[in-house]
Amino acid sequence: MADTLSALRLLMASHNPPLDALVVPSEDYHQSEYVSARDKRREFVSGFTGSAGLALITQKQALLWTDGRYFLQAIQQLSDQWKLMRIGEDPSEDLWMADNLPADAAVGVDPWCVSVDTAQKWIHTFSKKQQKLVQTSTNLVDEVWKNRPPPEINPVIIHPLEYAGRSVEDKLKTLRAKLSREKAHGLIVVGLDEVAWLYNIRGSDVSYCPVVHAFAIVTLNSAFFYVEKRKVSDEVRLYMEKNGIEVRDYSAVITDVSSLASNQLNMSSSSIDIAGSNGTKVESQSSGLIWADPAQCCYALYSKLNSDEVLLQQSPLALAKALKNSVELDGLKNAHIRDGAAVVQYLVWLDKQLQETYGASGYFLEGDGVRKPKPSDSEKLTEVSVSDKLEAFRASKKHFRGLSFPTISSVGPNAAIIHYGPQAETCAELDPESMYLFDSGAQYLDGTTDITRTVHFGLPSAHEKACYTAVLKGHITLGNARFPNGTNGQQLDILARVPLWKDGLDYLHGTGHGIGSFLNVHEGPHLISFRPRARNVPLQASMTVTDEPGYYEDGAFGIRLENVLIVKNADTKFNFGDKGYLSFEHITWAPYQRKLINTSLLTSEELDWLNSYHSKCRDILAPYLDESEKAWLNKATEPIPA
């Protein structure tokens, strides 16, 4: 790590102009949350493996900013060469640079890896001391990364209409209508999931996310797909041509954005013929604005545009993608049923293994269990070995295409690390006397899943039960909410926290995020969170969102409970203000552990909901389980007496 920092500082000093600081973001050219191995530059320079963070290197210091999900992880992973900067507690990176770098300082960044929003924020902050943001012509990290993984050449896959629910033709027609209304003649599509959704394609270029490294440009009368052409089969090329989309090289996007800015971007003659036979207009484009999402469009592309002719506004595809059609909603429901069955099968297996291997009292009984001899290395259960078993249960299910994110399988103190990532060499052995939290999900052809459950196979303490029950109460309160149209996720976030706040408890992450339809597990533009950006987008019927409050006690345990919900219209007695009201439908199915619940703390309404939910779990999952698994689930979901 020290050698990497030294090599970067030499490059910074020899750069023209010399750089006083170098910013290394987490993101790739598409501002992705999860990136491919060759794009993990921030991880390479810092050693911190969390999905969110920003590294800053000066000639004398190295700092890393990350959020509350990762504070404990960062402390463990950063060497003494690095200083952790806690987002929300320490100064933001731009204010730190403005205050700690000299006047006229030059701050370097690869303009492909930073969004327009972020770059403009930095430029504004730097202007107070005549500091400047310098766009490096190459990525300096790539120059010192000797064993950087090569690009993977994975095929583009057509996502069938039976799962997508809407044709490319329909999506393009709707998009062009939006462009016309905004007096824009073109849209630059940068987000990988937006490109995949718009063109009904999928891929495997990024672990856990079924996307393709690609850009798109759509104008009033043309459409382009920028991708490494070796990924495009003859079938996909014909599919694109049929839909009036021209395939161009990934690297051509920079010159085509310049052409778009000067109103010179045209389709090739072959594409025009095919598009024309489809009835698509192909005459020369009219002038107008160019639409670019400032949170997703990289600064490198924006720099090729005339700033006074750009519509910097959230992508019109973000909301369109979030509002699931009926086919996508049915697919998500079906995927979650199969996924719930896998989770129950896992719990049955894990319960049996912990009893047989460690003498645990098990999922149902509260006791000390029977002490057994220490298991051999081949017999012992670890955070990684059990999560591999969970993946195997999922892999046996119809339409399985992989996990939707790295499984968080965490026991005892590790569960207090919110986004803990167990590694085979260093992970903990399971302990029947400690809480076990698993947050996991899968990609299925018909939907993406994300579920968290927290369990105990020994004797939980009264404190652990009280904390679990407070989390459960918040989870139920949010899931049962009814609220008027126009309500945003920041307004709802408090519902999940109030039961925790009563005991002086809280958690340092948001409460809910959207989820894709065989796409990214974290999907905007909406979210349920205390963070200000949760105010930007009201929840609407047919959105998906998670409900995942938690509580984490450093060095002791962590608790989180998570279901995926669909936002739906609510049938209310009255309709004040003629707004219409919304509510949630749970589509995740797996039991909550009864022995962790202090039922005396539940209201009658909460108890009724819990018993009703458990009854549905039994009915919905039974067809996917064998007799012993059904018997286990029946016991796990027995009604709790009032």
Side-chain angles (χ1 to χ4, degrees), residues 580-621:
Y581 281 69
L582 300 171
S583 60
F584 294 118
E585 175 186 355
H586 288 256
I587 62 171
T588 299
W589 304 108
Y592 305 95
Q593 192 177 20
R594 287 178 55 187
K595 81 173 184 183
L596 271 173
I597 303 170
N598 183 340
T599 54
S600 69
L601 299 175
L602 296 181
T603 65
S604 58
E605 183 183 4
E606 290 165 345
L607 197 55
D608 287 347
W609 180 87
L610 190 60
N611 285 333
S612 173
Y613 175 83
H614 276 163
S615 175
K616 290 174 185 173
C617 279
R618 285 195 302 275
D619 296 342
I620 289 169
L621 298 182

Side-chain angles (χ1 to χ4, degrees), residues 189-207:
V189 187
V190 176
L192 299 181
D193 61 335
E194 292 192 357
V195 176
W197 179 84
L198 178 64
Y199 289 162
N200 284 349
I201 55 162
R202 298 295 188 266
S204 55
D205 285 352
V206 180
S207 297

Side-chain angles (χ1 to χ4, degrees), residues 158-161 167-170 172 176 198-201 221-223 225 232-247 267 270-282:
I158 299 168
H159 190 50
L161 190 59
S167 68
V168 177
E169 180 183 15
D170 181 40
L172 285 172
R176 286 174 173 137
L198 178 64
Y199 289 162
N200 284 349
I201 55 162
N221 44 45
S222 58
F225 178 49
V232 180
S233 65
D234 289 342
E235 179 193 12
V236 172
R237 191 177 303 279
L238 285 171
Y239 165 83
M240 290 291 176
E241 288 177 349
K242 180 183 174 185
N243 284 290
I245 302 162
E246 182 173 334
V247 179
M267 300 185 82
S270 60
S271 295
I272 288 173
D273 290 341
I274 292 164
S277 69
N278 245 2
T280 306
K281 292 183 179 180
V282 295

Side-chain angles (χ1 to χ4, degrees), residues 30-68:
H30 304 268
Q31 302 303 298
S32 307
E33 176 185 16
Y34 294 111
V35 299
S36 64
R38 68 185 271 103
D39 289 322
K40 294 182 178 180
R41 299 179 179 92
R42 188 227 61 227
E43 178 179 323
F44 169 72
V45 300
S46 69
F48 169 65
T49 61
S51 66
L54 177 142
L56 176 69
I57 300 162
T58 72
Q59 287 299 339
K60 295 189 176 177
Q61 290 182 277
L63 305 97
L64 180 120
W65 277 261
T66 193
D67 62 50

Side-chain angles (χ1 to χ4, degrees), residues 501-563:
W501 288 353
K502 283 183 178 178
D503 292 327
L505 307 178
D506 205 349
Y507 51 97
L508 291 174
H509 57 77
T511 304
H513 57 81
I515 193 164
S517 176
F518 187 37
L519 267 178
N520 293 355
V521 72
H522 293 158
E523 180 178 88
H526 59 291
L527 69 162
I528 299 176
S529 175
F530 58 91
R531 294 187 171 89
R533 66 190 180 93
R535 293 196 297 255
N536 296 344
V537 180
L539 296 188
Q540 297 182 39
S542 81
M543 283 180 168
T544 57
V545 69
T546 61
D547 171 4
E548 50 179 311
Y551 172 65
Y552 312 90
E553 201 155 290
D554 292 358
F557 62 85
I559 300 163
R560 184 162 62 254
L561 298 171
E562 176 184 21
N563 282 4

Side-chain angles (χ1 to χ4, degrees), residues 12-306:
M12 289 162 59
S14 62
H15 191 273
N16 184 20
L19 301 176
D20 296 273
L22 177 69
V23 182
V24 185
S26 299
E27 291 78 17
D28 60 8
Y29 290 8
H30 304 268
Q31 302 303 298
S32 307
E33 176 185 16
Y34 294 111
V35 299
S36 64
R38 68 185 271 103
D39 289 322
K40 294 182 178 180
R41 299 179 179 92
R42 188 227 61 227
E43 178 179 323
F44 169 72
V45 300
S46 69
F48 169 65
T49 61
S51 66
L54 177 142
L56 176 69
I57 300 162
T58 72
Q59 287 299 339
K60 295 189 176 177
Q61 290 182 277
L63 305 97
L64 180 120
W65 277 261
T66 193
D67 62 50
R69 295 171 297 168
Y70 294 111
F71 290 166
L72 285 178
Q73 181 178 336
I75 290 168
Q76 293 177 1
Q77 292 184 327
L78 293 175
S79 73
D80 56 10
Q81 301 268 333
W82 288 84
K83 179 181 180 182
L84 172 62
M85 303 294 285
R86 293 170 168 83
I87 294 174
E89 298 177 18
D90 293 317
S92 61
E93 75 281 351
D94 57 323
L95 292 176
W96 189 94
M97 287 187 277
D99 290 342
N100 291 274
L101 297 177
D104 302 323
V107 178
V109 71
D110 181 346
W112 287 94
C113 296
V114 64
S115 70
V116 177
D117 265 350
T118 300
Q120 289 186 335
K121 180 181 76 166
W122 291 348
I123 290 167
H124 174 73
T125 305
F126 294 167
S127 66
K128 298 163 190 172
K129 287 174 64 176
Q130 288 74 54
Q131 296 162 327
K132 56 185 178 292
L133 184 66
V134 176
Q135 300 183 45
T136 60
S137 56
T138 60
N139 193 297
L140 301 193
V141 175
D142 295 352
E143 295 188 37
V144 303
W145 193 352
K146 301 303 180 191
N147 298 314
R148 186 181 176 214
E152 293 185 39
I153 306 300
N154 300 311
V156 177
I157 300 162
I158 299 168
H159 190 50
L161 190 59
E162 66 181 290
Y163 303 119
R166 282 183 69 192
S167 68
V168 177
E169 180 183 15
D170 181 40
K171 291 177 180 179
L172 285 172
K173 182 179 179 182
T174 303
L175 173 57
R176 286 174 173 137
K178 289 179 181 175
L179 291 177
S180 294
R181 284 198 298 271
E182 295 290 344
K183 297 182 171 49
H185 74 85
L187 170 71
I188 303 169
V189 187
V190 176
L192 299 181
D193 61 335
E194 292 192 357
V195 176
W197 179 84
L198 178 64
Y199 289 162
N200 284 349
I201 55 162
R202 298 295 188 266
S204 55
D205 285 352
V206 180
S207 297
Y208 312 107
C209 306
V211 294
V212 180
H213 277 134
F215 296 95
I217 293 177
V218 177
T219 73
L220 294 174
N221 44 45
S222 58
F224 303 90
F225 178 49
Y226 300 89
V227 66
E228 164 62 66
K229 286 190 174 181
R230 287 178 292 170
K231 300 177 183 180
V232 180
S233 65
D234 289 342
E235 179 193 12
V236 172
R237 191 177 303 279
L238 285 171
Y239 165 83
M240 290 291 176
E241 288 177 349
K242 180 183 174 185
N243 284 290
I245 302 162
E246 182 173 334
V247 179
R248 295 193 174 180
D249 280 317
Y250 182 81
S251 59
V253 69
I254 189 78
T255 51
D256 278 9
V257 165
S258 295
S259 299
L260 181 66
S262 58
N263 208 28
Q264 300 297 312
L265 181 59
N266 297 304
M267 300 185 82
S268 67
S269 56
S270 60
S271 295
I272 288 173
D273 290 341
I274 292 164
S277 69
N278 245 2
T280 306
K281 292 183 179 180
V282 295
E283 66 268 13
S284 63
Q285 300 170 46
S286 60
S287 60
L289 298 171
I290 297 169
W291 195 328
D293 186 330
Q296 287 196 330
C297 184
C298 50
Y299 200 61
L301 293 179
Y302 174 76
S303 298
K304 298 296 180 183
L305 302 172
N306 304 315

